[in-house]
Amino acid sequence: MVDELTDQNYETETKDGVVLVDFWATWCGPCKMQSPVIEELAEERQDVKFTKMDVDQNKATPSSLGIMAIPTLVIKKNGAIVDRLTGYTPKAKLNQILNQYTD
């Protein structure tokens, strides 16, 4: 399951463990390609929390993180940003990157 984040709950929901945040928008073509990849990984992996944030509905968080292009995937570990990927990321590559941050 992929949890929907807002500006209000972003910090709380991403402070523990390994969390992937997909910054996206409804009008974004590459975001529509990225979503099924995130959903598949969310089904397969219990060691990562998968979340997404609509940048049109929540402007403060993407702005504070300097996100200028979407999709942008931010990976946090125990509240700290450890990686950031801009543009479409294939499933195998994303899985490999996530493996670096899970024990």
Side-chain angles (χ1 to χ4, degrees):
M1 189 177 123
V2 180
D3 295 331
E4 191 75 47
L5 296 184
T6 64
D7 287 335
Q8 290 72 34
N9 70 5
Y10 171 78
E11 289 300 331
T12 311
E13 293 292 322
T14 63
K15 70 179 175 26
D16 298 318
V18 177
V19 183
L20 180 138
V21 185
D22 175 15
F23 290 91
W24 70 288
T26 54
W27 49 264
C28 164
C31 298
K32 290 178 182 153
M33 292 168 43
Q34 190 69 70
S35 281
V37 170
I38 305 286
E39 286 166 22
E40 279 180 40
L41 285 171
E43 293 291 316
E44 296 169 11
R45 298 188 69 132
Q46 306 307 311
D47 57 344
V48 177
K49 180 177 181 178
F50 291 88
T51 64
K52 62 184 185 174
M53 180 180 285
D54 184 330
V55 298
D56 289 334
Q57 305 295 319
N58 303 280
K59 297 191 183 312
T61 304
S63 175
S64 72
L65 297 174
I67 292 172
M68 305 297 239
I70 51 174
T72 292
L73 305 178
V74 170
I75 301 168
K76 293 181 80 176
K77 184 166 186 175
N78 299 326
I81 294 175
V82 292
D83 213 331
R84 183 174 170 149
L85 311 156
T86 302
Y88 173 77
T89 306
K91 182 179 175 186
K93 182 176 181 192
L94 187 52
N95 222 359
Q96 188 178 25
I97 292 165
L98 288 169
N99 285 341
Q100 297 172 41
Y101 304 109
T102 54
D103 301 320

